Amino acid sequence: MTTTTEENYLKAIYHLSSRHQKSVLTSEIAGSLSTTSASVTDMLKKLSDKNLVEYERYKGVRITRKGEKVALSIIRRHRLWEVFLTDVLKFKWDEVHDMAEELEHVSSDELVKRLDSYLGYPKFDPHGDPIPDTNGKVPANGQQLLSEMTSTGTYVISGVNDHSPAFLQFLEKKGLVPGTVFSIMEIDGFDHSMHIEFQNRKSTYISKEVSRNILIKSHA
């Protein structure tokens, strides 16, 4: 059995390690969870004793297969609850993250199985993040960061990296929500801001900071 705190650590380590495929530093975990490096070190020792992570002092931590399985189970629950909260209870996409953070720790396998079935086995959550299946397999989505684009073209927004309410509200105000089709008209060579145009011919400018938090796919 894992505690709620242990689950939060495993989820954070999984997310951090999946970004750069290397050992995660205690300082990175501390920043992600808004805690101290000393507290992180204590928890890593506990997780290591349970064979959920491989921890070597001063060299960082790697999540084990056992730990990854737990993390993916938590992520699966979280994203299914986000779908339920938006699609069924009609919460906005900027309101559901914190609620799902609490609901994800309800560990009944039967409840999650029925929730998945009730929702029609969704593959992605309201923010465009893939939902792991019962075996922990994450659907491939072929996403790229908008900030990585170097030329004009037409794309569809498939997800976001920043789930903070302020950022999601900003995107909604701009009309930059998952499923939106747009074209890159121009990329500024100085600050990499982008001039984009929507299908209705309306256009807007977005900064590099915004574009690095938007995930896209090519649009046929």
Side-chain angles (χ1 to χ4, degrees), residues 22 84 91 112 121 124 138-139 157 182:
K22 66 178 181 63
F84 178 81
F91 283 98
V112 176
Y121 306 102
F124 301 92
V138 181
I157 295 175
F182 68 95

Side-chain angles (χ1 to χ4, degrees), residues 8-171:
N8 286 337
Y9 268 82
L10 289 171
K11 188 173 68 168
I13 295 167
Y14 174 82
H15 282 312
L16 290 167
S17 62
S18 63
R19 292 176 190 171
H20 40 52
Q21 298 296 317
K22 66 178 181 63
S23 295
V24 179
L25 302 177
T26 55
S27 58
E28 292 179 292
I29 301 169
S32 175
L33 296 174
S34 299
T35 188
T36 65
S37 293
S39 295
V40 172
T41 299
D42 289 341
M43 177 55 70
L44 293 181
K45 291 175 181 177
K46 294 177 182 178
L47 294 175
S48 180
D49 288 342
K50 292 185 176 183
N51 194 32
L52 295 168
V53 301
E54 295 175 352
Y55 172 61
E56 189 173 353
R57 196 173 184 183
Y58 304 122
K59 292 188 177 180
V61 60
R62 289 182 181 271
I63 195 165
T64 64
R65 286 189 176 275
K66 181 180 177 181
E68 186 176 272
K69 183 177 179 181
V70 175
L72 285 168
S73 175
I74 301 159
I75 292 167
R76 170 175 164 77
R77 288 180 239 148
H78 180 101
R79 294 176 179 173
L80 283 172
W81 280 119
E82 287 197 334
V83 175
F84 178 81
L85 290 166
T86 54
D87 290 8
V88 180
L89 299 187
K90 304 305 178 185
F91 283 98
K92 295 181 179 179
W93 72 327
D94 59 288
E95 298 176 317
V96 298
H97 180 73
D98 288 345
M99 287 181 277
E101 285 280 298
E102 297 182 25
L103 291 166
E104 71 186 25
H105 299 292
V106 179
S107 59
S108 168
D109 290 338
E110 184 61 27
L111 173 61
V112 176
K113 180 180 177 181
R114 294 194 184 194
L115 178 64
D116 192 22
S117 174
Y118 177 77
L119 294 171
Y121 306 102
K123 300 296 183 185
F124 301 92
D125 74 8
H127 308 107
D129 293 318
I131 300 173
D133 65 15
T134 54
N135 298 313
K137 185 176 180 180
V138 181
N141 50 27
Q143 297 182 129
Q144 292 178 278
L145 286 173
L146 176 55
S147 59
E148 294 175 347
M149 299 300 100
T150 58
S151 60
T152 58
T154 301
Y155 304 93
V156 59
I157 295 175
S158 56
V160 295
N161 274 341
D162 185 344
H163 293 182
S164 67
F167 184 69
L168 298 179
Q169 290 164 14
F170 170 83
L171 292 184

